[in-house]
Amino acid sequence: MLRVAASSVAKRTVLSSSRGVPSCAAPSTMAFHASAPREEESKTIEVSSNSKGGLFGTGLSEWFAVPIGMAAAVPMIKFDWLVINEEFQLSAVFVAFCVAVYTQGGDAIHKSLDERAQTLLKEHNEAEDKVISALEQKLEFLKANQTMVSDFEAINELREGAYNNLNTAGAIKPQHDFKIQVERVLSMIAQEEASVTEKTKTALMEEATANVTDQFTTSKALKKSALDSAIAQIKGTSNKGGIKDPVQDAFVKFFQDKAAEAAKVTDDSEEKAQRAAVVAKINAICKSEGFFFNVDSNGKAKMNA
């Protein structure tokens, strides 16, 4: 009878302890994870209970469990319902150790694990932020490249227009270059002719001066006529007396005789030599500057192959 009563009391004690245990003695299970906490997990779960609390749900203070336990322990030990051996003592020590660790170091362990969780969560969030930033940059790049086709089409149109302009200019440019080359050769020929003419004129004047000077030096009649002409010019009577200038007449006669002699001469070797010199200069310039033509020995232009 006592065994049945004790057994029923133990069963009720276990059921009541699991149902009406204080909140401080039965800690709630915490979900530990490294991901961001969800809103559902942050809500407090309210457990509805019809129990009155206290000892065995009777509303009495929990301290009444001490004398009841002492009273129940005597028959349990007496009748060997509870055998206090090395296994029971080891279990009691282990339970005492767990309770001591939970009550004394539970907060420290919780803070350590929580700090580690926060560190992992922070690192995870930073990595996700970097990935999101990279994806956003890639998205902006892809959006910017949406007009790539139209841009390349515009570039191809500009390139085609440039090629057309170059082809048009390429058809005209050789003609323009040929005109410039011809103008340069003609300008060089004109300069050579002017140079030769100036040299010939200087040589004729020197020869005429020497000839007239020699005539007036050797002829007394020319000296007398030159002196009379000079006196008449000083007096202003040269026009009235019909006195001519003998020096001027001598120069005119010299040039007339020179022209008559030149008309009789059939040797054109000097002219050919001058032309050959001019042709050589022209061909040297045509070769050095890559002209489209050159000049033959007869002075005719020939296009290069």
Side-chain angles (χ1 to χ4, degrees), residues 57-293:
T58 58
L60 298 176
S61 177
E62 296 175 355
W63 290 103
F64 286 101
V66 176
I68 294 174
M70 293 175 65
V74 174
M76 292 174 67
I77 295 173
K78 176 66 177 176
F79 295 103
D80 292 334
W81 295 342
L82 178 61
V83 180
I84 301 176
N85 54 8
E86 63 276 5
E87 294 179 355
F88 179 82
Q89 293 176 0
L90 184 61
S91 300
V93 172
F94 179 74
V95 171
F97 172 76
C98 292
V99 171
V101 170
Y102 176 78
T103 56
Q104 302 300 323
D107 292 338
I109 296 173
H110 170 72
K111 289 180 181 179
S112 176
L113 294 176
D114 186 65
E115 289 178 357
R116 178 60 179 168
Q118 295 297 329
T119 303
L120 292 175
L121 180 61
K122 182 179 179 181
E123 294 176 355
H124 181 72
N125 291 335
E126 290 178 354
E128 286 183 348
D129 291 339
K130 291 181 180 179
V131 173
I132 292 171
S133 178
L135 291 176
E136 289 178 351
Q137 292 180 358
K138 185 175 182 180
L139 179 60
E140 293 179 358
F141 177 76
L142 293 175
K143 288 181 178 179
N145 290 338
Q146 289 179 352
T147 60
M148 185 181 294
V149 177
S150 60
D151 293 340
F152 276 105
E153 289 178 352
I155 292 172
N156 291 331
E157 291 179 358
L158 292 175
R159 185 186 293 111
E160 185 178 358
Y163 286 157
N164 292 332
N165 294 332
L166 288 174
N167 292 331
T168 304
I172 300 175
K173 189 176 184 301
Q175 301 176 4
H176 181 71
D177 293 341
F178 181 72
K179 176 177 176 293
I180 293 175
Q181 294 171 6
V182 172
E183 289 178 351
R184 183 170 181 182
V185 170
L186 293 177
S187 176
M188 187 176 64
I189 293 173
Q191 291 177 359
E192 289 294 329
E193 288 180 352
S195 177
V196 171
T197 301
E198 189 65 26
K199 289 179 181 180
T200 304
K201 187 188 296 184
T202 302
L204 286 174
M205 288 300 299
E206 291 177 354
E207 185 180 358
T209 301
N211 185 274
V212 172
T213 301
D214 184 64
Q215 290 180 13
F216 277 88
T217 301
T218 56
S219 176
K220 295 182 178 179
L222 290 175
K223 289 181 179 179
K224 183 178 182 303
S225 61
L227 180 60
D228 294 339
S229 175
I231 294 172
Q233 288 181 359
I234 293 172
K235 291 181 178 180
T237 59
S238 59
N239 294 330
K240 296 180 181 179
I243 299 174
K244 296 182 179 180
D245 186 0
V247 178
Q248 182 179 1
D249 293 340
F251 274 102
V252 171
K253 186 175 183 303
F254 173 79
F255 284 116
Q256 288 177 351
D257 295 340
K258 201 70 175 174
E261 290 177 2
K264 294 178 182 179
V265 174
T266 59
D267 186 11
D268 57 350
S269 59
E270 184 178 359
E271 182 179 354
K272 289 181 179 179
Q274 293 177 354
R275 183 172 61 188
V278 173
V279 169
K281 289 182 180 180
I282 293 173
N283 289 333
I285 293 176
C286 292
K287 183 178 181 180
S288 62
E289 297 189 8
F291 283 5
F292 298 151
F293 61 93

